[in-house]
Amino acid sequence: LMTMETVFKFDDCSLPAKLFSEPTEADVLGTSALPPETEGQRTLVMAGQDLSEVPMPGQPESRVTLLDLSYNCLTSTAGLQFFPNVEELVLDNNDLTELDHLPPLPALRSLSLNK
């Protein structure tokens, strides 16, 4: 029986089980592309995806204003320049030790880096 406290381990990165949902076709196929764009999209949540780097769209994604990359295995913020209008950035529970590649994000109002 799994509880809210159950934790899975992936490459030394702990992921709370409560973040998991039923796998999508993309999960089953093993693709790492960004989810399909939808008209008026403002929020992109990629929490608990075992990402080791910021996923990069083919071109800057100007519609995303909230980007949640929490509960992954990120070691760098390189790639955030592809989200120039992000206002809220959630990087909680990653493997970040410094912010040396944090690009200028002029719209950023909230940055969460909890461990």
Side-chain angles (χ1 to χ4, degrees):
L1 178 66
M2 292 171 58
T3 66
M4 294 288 275
E5 280 72 41
T6 303
V7 174
F8 294 96
K9 282 290 244 187
F10 296 101
D11 299 324
D12 298 320
C13 183
S14 298
L15 302 172
K18 66 181 180 180
L19 295 176
F20 294 115
S21 59
E22 291 296 316
T24 65
E25 183 178 332
D27 295 330
V28 174
L29 296 175
T31 60
S32 60
L34 293 176
E37 296 179 17
T38 57
E39 186 175 341
Q41 179 179 345
R42 297 276 186 214
T43 299
L44 179 57
V45 177
M46 298 194 74
Q49 300 295 312
D50 198 25
L51 300 173
S52 58
E53 58 187 34
V54 175
M56 293 185 237
Q59 60 187 29
E61 180 48 74
S62 61
R63 293 178 294 168
V64 174
T65 57
L66 186 152
L67 179 58
D68 184 348
L69 295 168
S70 60
Y71 292 95
N72 282 295
C73 299
L74 300 177
T75 58
S76 172
T77 57
L80 290 175
Q81 69 272 16
F82 289 98
F83 301 93
N85 294 325
V86 68
E87 296 174 4
E88 185 174 350
L89 178 57
V90 183
L91 297 172
D92 296 343
N93 295 293
N94 277 285
D95 296 329
L96 295 166
T97 58
E98 55 187 49
L99 296 176
D100 58 337
H101 295 287
L102 186 63
L105 299 169
L108 189 65
R109 291 187 280 156
S110 175
L111 174 61
S112 182
L113 290 166
N114 295 306
K115 190 63 176 165

